[in-house]
Amino acid sequence: MQTFIKLNYYQLKLPCFISKIRSLNSTSYRKYSSLNKIAQGYQPKDVESNKYIKWSEKPSQTKTTTEKHWFTMILPPPNVTGNLHLGHALMATIQDVICRHKRQKGYQVQWIPGTDHAGIATQVVVEKKILKERQLSRHDLGREEFLNEVWKWKNEKGHSIVDDLKRLGCSLDWNNEYFTMDKKQSRAVNLAFVRLFNEGLIKRKKALVNWSCSLESAISDIEVDSIEISGPTEIKVPGYDKNITFGQLYNLAYRLHGEESQEIVVSTTRPETILGDIAVAVHPDDERYSQYREKQTFLWHPFRNQPIPLIFDSSVDREFGTGAVKITPAHDKNDFELAKRHSLESVSVISEKGQILPEFVHFSGLKRFEARSKILDSLASQELLREIRPHSMSLPLCSRSKDVIEYILRPQWFVHCQGMANEAIQAVRDGRIQLHPKSFENDWFRWLSDCHDWCISRQLWWGHQIPAYLAKSKDSELWIAAESQEEAVEKAQKQLNSKNISLERDPDVLDTWFSSSLLPFSIFNWPSEEFRQSYPLDVMETGHDILFFWVARMTMLGMKLTGDVPFRNVLLNGIVCDAHGRKMSKSLGNVVTPQQVIYGTSLKSMQDDALQSHNSGVLGADELKKSFKGLQKMFPSGIPECGTDALRFTLCSHNIKSHFINFDVAECYTNKLFLNKIWQATRYTLGAHEKVNMTVGEGSLENLELELMDKWILSRLADTLEVCENSLENYNFHTATAALKNFFYTNFCDVYLETTKPGISDGGSKAKGHCVTLSTCLSLGLQAMSPFTPFISEELQQFLPKPIDFDSSLYKNSQLETEVNEILDICQAIRQLKSRNKVSKKHSPKVHLFAQNKEAINILNKYLLEMKALTLCNEVILETTSNPISKEDYSLFSTAGHLCSFGISTNSEFKLPQSGKSGKDLNNLKLERLQKELEKYLERTSNEGFRKSASEAVQKRNFEKIQQLEVEIKNIKALQS
């Protein structure tokens, strides 16, 4: 496959820097190539200092309909509540890599940044702050003053996430930054609500919702964390002085109405909700209750003193407890659905504050878990409590308040989604939207084929207040949606046919996901038609965990309100975990922030952060102990400084499409050392130019006679650039980073650079070719690196010639690469034998090669100088004598693949090590390994399935490998004879 890369390096530069570089002549290049101008070692702080400020000052571009080659994307808005975490860093880095790559390909890029008001998260933070500083609740302040405090906090503290993004090197269009509660977004949110309301897609109804009693608000499913409990476990619940025990199953008896001698025992984990039981249910096929099938049976409620029915429903789990379950539809989702099927009314028990409602006189006003013990006492006194035993269960907690979720019936606003969901399904089926990875299509179809109505009411003060008004006249009332109170009055007068009306606006705010679902078009001034200049987006990149909560809802609302899909491609990244695959948690002490990785931090500083979280109420005392223990175990010496580029490169070194991404700080530090390797290679290249009196940028590849190793490294460069291009186009960033690391580390620094030293030292004709090849590889390689590591790439590029147009097909040479790989294998075998036997330079080692045939002689003879440099030997001699090999002439002897055997001669100072294996033993081990490898290949090629399914090229490679192994095995056996 031919790849022609038109490198457009300067599109990534600031205008002032562009003009400076373009004006350089040969003299200027000599100035910039001086080793005095480049630091001796790579220091991330120095390299990254202030570059992000320059990048953020770049003028924004306005997209017009007449221009082509635009690429548009938005940054999923991080919550304005704090600093960037590693999940944000991964997402932002992925998007920045995509945008920088598109700029390299000549696209004009529109990447719009923004932050989310994060209703619940922000309100909780500010409430805690006010309570701690002033001992006041938001109710003490009142809505208006509290909101003023939130805006003040947002303006003072809310910019830290923006600063973090800039420091991460994100090349965002900061002049078009949005906030999800700015005027433009507010207008779009109100209009969207009104239009959906007018179409009958938004309705108000009484339904069961996730409820946080401490927040006194409904919350979304994504804000519910479920913890698994294996038995009796004490949990700290907000508002309670003592821990509450969960993980128990309670068996309670219901007596039959009119037949008190008979009873049915039900099993429940929530005895406090017995007050709201409206029935007992069993499975229709459960033989334990077969005697009740043919007659209507009632049970006597022990607290409401009224009969409730025994009903049969196939949804009942016969394996749970006694097989009989209490039905409390006002506080359980499954019970709610069951009650609807049987046309049963609900009875609410628990208030929005988490207290027992007044109608239950004996327990009125008690907190729900305080009422639990009194209800159990009462049941025991009535001889209805049968058993309490350990039980495994899943306990839902509010992720913000850590309160135990209550399910409560209350009037809320709902979006009817199924019709829009069907359109979203079709958009993926017909390819208008493509999901990456494709495997998420099944989740998409499954979720959206049964899409429940979406509760968008939140009982908060911070957020978009719902634009709905309860209009009342003398005789009637109705809900009206309007963008303003004036519009609401006009609509109400018309619909109620009365001039004398009163209006009351719903105090609730909209779910944050509602406003953020409009972003693909609201940020481009929808409903003005100018939004279509940038809509739909080319790519939406985000975490797979919000595929339904955000991506699907953007698709549904986007298609409904604009008539087109909101984006063409959806790229879903995995969840960042620690090095051991555990979800990052403050209580585990494994949370790592981007800033800690970039700048480094001590163990004490990390412990101080945990202590601060404890003091602010985020971590309990037990969690703090766990955190300290986890920090001590994972980071005993703290975190070393790695720099932004190393962090970005490490994040992209993982398969971002994997479900989980295990981040290891040690790997990040290794990548810092890798970048230092490139830095030192650049210093070597500049020094080489000075040594042969060349200016950087002088000469071209076409006008020089290149050596074999020059051609080899250019072939490796061409292949690497091809891999990078294909990988970036398919979002396989880990393949690109692996190719770059292999090229710079293994091919360029460890091999090619070493082979240039003799030629550059001599200063002859080879030196010029080496210098041009060195600077070309660095320039083009850094250009390919720059989407991942923009800071160091820009820093080093100023010392190198600007990248050229590079047609990879002119430089790719697979035959040469195969040949050099064989030579490198021989060099590795020589180095390993030297290392095992502690042969050093002081022993004056000389290598003698014994080729297997004339073809091997021709190959080996071309690389003797390179092999001398790579094996660190005084000389490499190709023996052409036809006399038998005498092992006694050499200190060490072994084979090196199918091309040759070799001996190492030394001076008299060398003595074979007393400990360890002898040369004969090592050759025996090698023989054993080669024989096993040969058996594997023989087994594979003899398999009938392999012969039928493998391509001709694959079969040929396998048979060639067999021949090579047989030759080497023969040679080792000859050595042993």
Side-chain angles (χ1 to χ4, degrees):
M1 174 182 170
Q2 175 178 333
T3 299
F4 186 83
I5 303 175
K6 181 78 171 177
L7 292 161
N8 199 359
Y9 176 74
Y10 291 109
Q11 287 183 346
L12 295 178
K13 300 297 181 182
L14 296 170
C16 62
F17 191 69
I18 294 173
S19 60
K20 184 176 181 180
I21 292 296
R22 285 177 174 167
S23 68
L24 293 176
N25 53 28
S26 296
T27 305
S28 301
Y29 268 121
R30 183 182 295 277
K31 174 186 174 184
Y32 269 82
S33 70
S34 170
L35 283 176
N36 295 328
K37 298 293 182 180
I38 182 172
Q40 289 189 353
Y42 170 55
Q43 298 295 332
K45 282 183 181 177
D46 297 337
V47 171
E48 295 163 10
S49 177
N50 296 325
K51 276 191 175 65
Y52 68 91
I53 297 176
K54 295 177 182 178
W55 292 339
S56 65
E57 290 172 351
K58 183 179 179 181
S60 61
Q61 299 166 317
T62 304
K63 185 174 180 181
T64 66
T65 54
T66 58
E67 292 176 319
K68 297 181 179 179
H69 303 300
W70 276 91
F71 179 83
T72 308
M73 190 163 63
I74 67 170
L75 179 76
N79 291 352
V80 77
T81 52
N83 295 326
L84 206 68
H85 59 61
L86 275 180
H88 289 136
L90 171 69
M91 184 177 63
T93 299
I94 291 169
Q95 292 171 45
D96 191 52
V97 168
I98 293 171
C99 288
R100 288 178 182 273
H101 175 63
K102 289 296 181 182
R103 292 191 191 99
Q104 286 181 344
K105 291 171 68 73
Y107 285 83
Q108 299 295 317
V109 174
Q110 223 181 10
W111 183 25
I112 310 296
T115 47
D116 194 284
H117 64 279
I120 290 179
T122 303
Q123 181 163 310
V124 168
V125 169
V126 177
E127 279 193 90
K128 285 183 177 180
K129 176 178 179 289
I130 294 171
L131 183 62
K132 185 175 182 180
E133 293 177 354
R134 299 162 60 182
Q135 289 73 53
L136 295 173
S137 70
R138 62 183 167 109
H139 299 285
D140 295 328
L141 289 178
R143 183 165 186 153
E144 185 175 350
E145 188 177 345
F146 176 75
L147 290 179
N148 287 337
E149 288 292 325
V150 179
W151 277 108
K152 180 182 176 183
W153 181 90
K154 184 265 177 187
N155 292 331
E156 289 177 354
K157 308 290 185 182
H159 296 298
S160 59
I161 194 107
V162 173
D163 292 338
D164 287 346
L165 286 166
K166 289 180 178 179
R167 287 187 174 88
L168 197 61
C170 296
S171 53
L172 286 149
D173 184 0
W174 290 108
N175 292 325
N176 285 319
E177 181 185 353
Y178 67 87
F179 177 54
T180 52
M181 278 183 62
D182 61 31
K183 289 183 179 180
K184 183 166 61 176
Q185 301 308 311
S186 292
R187 199 220 160 177
V189 168
N190 289 338
L191 180 59
F193 185 95
V194 171
R195 288 191 179 180
L196 295 171
F197 178 91
N198 291 341
E199 286 195 41
L201 291 174
I202 290 182
K203 291 183 178 180
R204 187 173 177 83
K205 64 180 180 180
K206 194 173 185 179
L208 206 64
V209 295
N210 303 322
W211 189 265
S212 171
C213 297
S214 61
L215 295 176
E216 294 184 45
S217 175
I219 62 174
S220 66
D221 288 344
I222 201 172
E223 289 157 333
V224 177
D225 294 334
S226 291
I227 61 170
E228 299 302 319
I229 295 175
S230 59
T233 306
E234 289 190 353
I235 303 290
K236 182 174 177 55
V237 179
Y240 291 83
D241 296 330
K242 296 181 179 179
N243 291 346
I244 308 300
T245 300
F246 297 91
Q248 292 180 314
L249 192 67
Y250 302 85
N251 283 357
L252 316 174
Y254 267 102
R255 295 187 177 123
L256 268 64
H257 180 44
E259 300 180 45
E260 292 188 6
S261 60
Q262 296 186 46
E263 65 181 28
I264 291 179
V265 177
V266 300
S267 298
T268 181
T269 59
R270 304 200 58 206
E272 65 273 15
T273 61
I274 192 173
L275 299 174
D277 286 358
I278 50 86
V280 170
V282 297
H283 194 282
D285 298 331
D286 194 330
E287 291 301 321
R288 289 171 291 183
Y289 306 103
S290 59
Q291 68 269 33
Y292 304 114
R293 287 181 196 153
E294 304 302 325
K295 60 180 180 178
Q296 191 171 22
T297 303
F298 287 91
L299 307 169
W300 188 252
H301 195 288
F303 296 106
R304 296 207 308 273
N305 295 319
Q306 64 181 120
I308 59 173
L310 175 68
I311 59 176
F312 294 86
D313 195 283
S314 58
S315 68
V316 176
D317 180 5
R318 283 176 282 184
E319 303 302 318
F320 178 75
T322 63
V325 293
K326 55 194 283 301
I327 304 302
T328 319
H331 298 285
D332 183 278
K333 289 184 176 181
N334 294 326
D335 292 358
F336 183 74
E337 296 300 323
L338 186 148
K340 282 201 298 185
R341 291 195 295 272
H342 292 269
S343 302
L344 298 172
E345 295 293 329
S346 298
V347 175
S348 294
V349 176
I350 300 169
S351 74
E352 294 168 357
K353 293 182 181 291
Q355 298 171 336
I356 303 300
L357 292 169
E359 47 264 44
F360 302 98
V361 179
H362 296 295
F363 310 101
S364 175
L366 288 175
K367 294 177 182 178
R368 52 188 166 150
F369 300 124
E370 289 176 349
R372 173 184 292 184
S373 60
K374 292 190 178 295
I375 288 171
L376 289 172
D377 289 343
S378 179
L379 289 169
S381 67
Q382 298 179 62
E383 297 182 351
L384 297 175
L385 179 59
R386 292 290 173 266
E387 183 184 12
I388 302 175
R389 67 175 186 269
H391 178 68
S392 298
M393 63 178 292
S394 180
L395 185 69
L397 299 180
C398 171
S399 63
R400 304 298 179 186
S401 65
K402 306 305 177 187
D403 196 4
V404 176
I405 293 298
E406 192 61 63
Y407 300 105
I408 286 184
L409 272 175
R410 76 182 317 276
Q412 304 276 272
W413 292 100
F414 286 85
V415 179
H416 180 63
C417 295
Q418 193 57 64
M420 294 186 290
N422 293 337
E423 294 293 326
I425 289 173
Q426 188 57 38
V428 171
R429 286 199 190 280
D430 62 27
R432 281 176 291 162
I433 296 177
Q434 296 189 38
L435 302 184
H436 309 271
K438 195 177 178 67
S439 57
F440 278 101
E441 286 187 2
N442 290 332
D443 293 329
W444 184 268
F445 299 144
R446 185 180 70 254
W447 287 338
L448 293 179
S449 61
D450 185 22
C451 191
H452 300 294
D453 288 355
W454 169 20
C455 174
I456 56 173
S457 299
R458 297 293 180 266
Q459 290 64 47
L460 304 172
W461 290 355
W462 173 244
H464 293 280
Q465 190 172 353
I466 294 175
Y469 301 81
L470 182 60
K472 297 180 181 179
S473 66
K474 184 179 180 180
D475 301 320
S476 56
E477 64 179 36
L478 79 163
W479 282 96
I480 288 171
E483 292 187 69
S484 66
Q485 186 164 337
E486 292 75 20
E487 181 187 345
V489 169
E490 185 178 334
K491 285 184 174 180
Q493 288 176 340
K494 184 176 180 180
Q495 294 182 38
L496 291 174
N497 194 26
S498 172
K499 294 293 183 181
N500 186 20
I501 63 166
S502 63
L503 280 182
E504 182 183 344
R505 186 171 183 176
D506 192 326
D508 291 351
V509 301
L510 287 163
D511 179 10
T512 305
W513 294 107
F514 185 87
S515 54
S516 62
S517 294
L518 310 177
L519 289 175
F521 50 94
S522 65
I523 62 171
F524 297 118
N525 294 317
W526 177 85
S528 168
E529 279 299 304
E530 70 179 82
F531 86 92
R532 296 196 184 276
Q533 295 176 11
S534 301
Y535 184 91
L537 306 174
D538 291 285
V539 174
M540 171 52 65
E541 195 283 329
T542 190
H544 69 71
D545 55 324
I546 55 174
L547 177 62
F548 175 72
F549 293 102
W550 193 41
V551 178
R553 287 166 176 172
M554 280 190 287
T555 304
M556 290 190 288
L557 294 186
M559 294 179 72
K560 183 63 184 177
L561 295 169
T562 73
D564 197 359
V565 295
F567 26 70
R568 303 299 186 199
N569 294 278
V570 176
L571 175 59
L572 300 166
N573 63 257
I575 307 302
V576 180
C577 300
D578 70 10
H580 305 291
R582 301 176 303 173
K583 188 175 180 180
M584 290 195 176
S585 162
K586 288 184 179 180
S587 63
L588 289 175
N590 63 349
V591 172
V592 177
T593 69
Q595 300 305 314
Q596 290 172 332
V597 176
I598 292 170
Y599 300 116
T601 187
S602 65
L603 174 62
K604 183 179 183 304
S605 178
M606 300 178 80
Q607 290 174 335
D608 288 344
D609 288 342
L611 185 60
Q612 186 176 352
S613 295
H614 169 66
N615 293 337
S616 64
V618 175
L619 287 179
D622 290 340
E623 290 176 313
L624 180 65
K625 289 180 182 177
K626 289 180 183 178
S627 178
F628 272 33
K629 186 176 180 181
L631 288 169
Q632 179 67 50
K633 183 178 180 180
M634 292 197 67
F635 312 108
S637 302
I639 296 175
E641 177 198 27
C642 298
T644 301
D645 282 331
L647 172 62
R648 289 170 57 111
F649 195 84
T650 304
L651 289 169
C652 292
S653 295
H654 297 84
N655 184 351
I656 60 141
K657 301 176 194 173
S658 297
H659 214 69
F660 298 103
I661 295 168
N662 298 348
F663 180 83
D664 190 348
V665 171
E667 181 187 355
C668 200
Y669 185 73
T670 298
N671 283 328
K672 177 194 174 183
L673 301 180
F674 163 60
L675 296 179
N676 182 60
K677 192 92 168 176
I678 298 174
W679 187 279
Q680 298 303 332
T682 304
R683 283 180 54 80
Y684 170 81
T685 298
L686 299 179
H689 279 76
E690 289 188 348
K691 186 159 190 172
V692 299
N693 200 29
M694 284 182 68
T695 58
V696 179
E698 179 185 338
S700 66
L701 296 173
E702 293 80 6
N703 301 327
L704 290 170
E705 186 174 341
L706 301 176
E707 298 295 312
L708 283 174
M709 292 305 290
D710 297 330
K711 294 176 181 178
W712 170 76
I713 196 63
L714 290 171
S715 179
R716 292 299 309 124
L717 173 66
D719 183 72
T720 301
L721 295 178
E722 268 192 11
V723 170
C724 287
E725 175 65 18
N726 293 335
S727 300
L728 284 165
E729 285 297 308
N730 293 292
Y731 312 121
N732 294 321
F733 302 139
H734 63 298
T735 309
T737 54
L740 288 165
K741 201 166 185 179
N742 182 62
F743 172 75
F744 273 117
Y745 235 144
T746 308
N747 303 148
F748 187 74
C749 294
D750 289 351
V751 176
Y752 175 70
L753 188 145
E754 294 297 325
T755 65
T756 65
K757 289 179 179 179
I760 289 172
S761 180
D762 292 343
S765 58
K766 292 182 180 181
K768 286 191 175 181
H770 289 337
C771 285
V772 173
T773 304
L774 282 164
S775 60
T776 299
C777 286
L778 277 170
S779 181
L780 293 172
L782 284 168
Q783 173 67 13
M785 284 275 289
S786 63
F788 304 103
T789 57
F791 293 98
I792 192 173
S793 297
E794 179 172 299
E795 183 72 16
L796 293 180
Q797 279 282 6
Q798 64 181 310
F799 301 105
L800 298 165
K802 70 176 183 179
I804 60 172
D805 292 345
F806 190 76
D807 186 349
S808 65
S809 65
L810 298 179
Y811 295 95
K812 287 195 74 174
N813 189 332
S814 58
Q815 183 178 348
L816 176 61
E817 288 198 36
T818 300
E819 192 172 278
V820 172
N821 285 341
E822 291 176 335
I823 296 299
L824 295 179
D825 287 343
I826 296 170
C827 292
Q828 184 180 15
I830 295 169
R831 287 196 304 269
Q832 286 178 346
L833 190 61
K834 284 177 59 187
S835 175
R836 285 170 181 161
N837 291 278
K838 296 181 171 52
V839 177
S840 64
K841 194 173 183 179
K842 69 178 184 179
H843 298 130
S844 303
K846 293 182 181 179
V847 174
H848 301 259
L849 303 177
F850 298 90
Q852 300 303 317
N853 49 48
K854 288 184 178 180
E855 181 185 357
I857 290 174
N858 292 333
I859 293 173
L860 293 168
N861 197 43
K862 293 184 287 185
Y863 298 97
L864 296 179
L865 288 177
E866 289 77 9
M867 293 177 72
K868 175 184 174 183
L870 294 172
T871 60
L872 298 177
C873 289
N874 286 15
E875 197 171 354
V876 175
I877 303 164
L878 179 59
E879 302 288 354
T880 57
T881 178
S882 58
N883 295 329
I885 301 169
S886 175
K887 292 177 286 183
E888 287 73 20
D889 295 337
Y890 304 99
S891 303
L892 299 165
F893 210 97
S894 187
T895 61
H898 67 285
L899 286 181
C900 68
S901 302
F902 68 90
I904 300 177
S905 62
T906 62
N907 59 26
S908 58
E909 289 186 35
F910 173 73
K911 304 294 180 185
L912 276 171
Q914 294 298 314
S915 59
K917 295 180 173 64
S918 66
K920 183 177 181 180
D921 291 335
L922 290 171
N923 283 330
N924 285 335
L925 290 173
K926 179 184 271 191
L927 178 63
E928 185 179 338
R929 177 179 60 79
L930 292 172
Q931 286 175 329
K932 286 182 179 178
E933 192 174 357
L934 177 61
E935 289 174 9
K936 182 183 71 174
Y937 276 95
L938 289 172
E939 183 180 354
R940 179 187 301 167
T941 54
S942 63
N943 183 275
E944 186 177 351
F946 175 82
R947 292 197 299 269
K948 288 182 178 180
S949 60
S951 66
E952 185 177 340
V954 170
Q955 293 194 50
K956 182 181 178 182
R957 284 198 299 272
N958 275 267
F959 284 116
E960 287 176 349
K961 184 65 177 178
I962 288 172
Q963 291 175 340
Q964 293 170 3
L965 288 168
E966 288 174 340
V967 168
E968 189 168 9
I969 289 170
K970 179 182 177 183
N971 291 335
I972 291 181
K973 288 181 176 179
L975 291 176
Q976 295 174 328
S977 61

